[in-house]
Amino acid sequence: MTVEDVTETIRSLTPEEQESVRQFVDFLKRRDSSSPFLAAVDEFIDLHPELLRRLAQ
């Protein structure tokens, strides 16, 4: 899935669903990033701050 696909999928969500995604990302950021999945989440967050900022709106 490309960044554009993820962006479009998130845009199609209701504001409540977008807030849930934002909260999930925040939850993952607070956890120990010793797993490969969490490291990938951290990398995504670092690479796409604008997308996440828009989600928070």
Side-chain angles (χ1 to χ4, degrees):
M1 183 175 255
T2 67
V3 173
E4 291 80 17
D5 292 337
V6 172
T7 302
E8 191 59 37
T9 299
I10 292 170
R11 283 185 185 147
S12 71
L13 300 175
T14 66
E16 293 83 12
E17 291 169 329
Q18 290 179 6
E19 177 61 18
S20 295
V21 170
R22 188 194 63 75
Q23 288 178 9
F24 178 66
V25 170
D26 287 344
F27 167 78
L28 292 175
K29 285 176 66 175
R30 288 190 303 270
R31 295 185 48 117
D32 179 23
S33 62
S34 60
S35 78
F37 175 75
L38 293 177
V41 169
D42 286 340
E43 181 179 349
F44 180 85
I45 290 167
D46 290 341
L47 292 174
H48 305 289
E50 178 64 17
L51 172 64
L52 297 174
R53 184 192 65 75
R54 291 180 182 187
L55 279 174
Q57 294 179 341

